[in-house]
Amino acid sequence: MKYPSSPNQGWKLWFERDTIVHNLEFFQNFIVISLCIGLFCVMLIRLGEMFLSLLQPINFQAITSDILFVLILVEIFRLLIIYLQEQRISIGAAVEVSLVSALREVILQGVVDIPIDRLLGVCAFLVVLGGLLYLRVWMFQRFEAIATTRNEHLSQPSTQELSDNQHFQLRRRPPSIEQYPF
């Protein structure tokens, strides 16, 4: 850390870009951690209410709704954890949350009771979300194919010439789909 040589330089350090970005990221992570704790508490409360509702006559639609709601909360919690680990929003997790939320609303109202225009809108929404998930997998496969062809064209030195670190990197397992920012 830089130590100011004069009192005026102490204030200048606060307005350096790196210091500002570091402090903003710290507060942003604090907000996300607070959201995680609050979300975890809401999940526990909903689970308690769901188990208490099992003591009364069983309402399958309400129980299914509660289960899907808890699953949505779990997916949002997972989305926040991924954000804390990688400092990015996982498109796959966000799309999964949206899919489960839309299906929960359809299950709550019942397919027969939903007006046809709203049902068509939900269907279009689900097709778009499914397309996003397919596009994500397709992009991963394209990036892998590009990386494979690029590695084939590069001349590889013999194993005897490789250092231990380079040899380890060549044997490393291929990247997973979660490593890409889409």
Side-chain angles (χ1 to χ4, degrees), residues 59-129:
N59 181 358
F60 288 111
Q61 190 175 16
I63 292 172
T64 305
S65 170
D66 286 342
I67 291 170
L68 288 174
F69 185 68
V70 170
L71 287 176
I72 291 169
L73 294 179
V74 167
E75 287 294 319
I76 293 173
F77 188 78
R78 186 173 70 115
L79 186 67
L80 291 173
I81 296 298
I82 290 172
Y83 178 79
L84 282 175
Q85 290 174 341
E86 301 175 12
Q87 296 295 311
R88 69 173 181 86
I89 297 293
S90 170
I91 298 294
V95 169
E96 290 169 7
V97 168
S98 302
L99 278 170
V100 173
S101 298
L103 292 175
R104 177 183 178 264
E105 292 302 316
V106 169
I107 289 172
L108 274 178
Q109 290 185 351
V111 177
V112 178
D113 298 333
I114 298 176
I116 190 69
D117 58 338
R118 189 168 179 198
L119 188 62
L120 290 175
V122 170
C123 289
F125 182 65
L126 292 175
V127 166
V128 168
L129 291 176

Side-chain angles (χ1 to χ4, degrees), residues 1 23 38 42 55 58 67 97 111 124 132 151 171 174 177-178:
M1 182 173 180
N23 289 334
V42 169
L55 298 175
I58 295 179
I67 291 170
V97 168
V111 177
L132 284 174
N151 286 341
R171 291 185 318 178
I177 195 168
E178 293 297 326

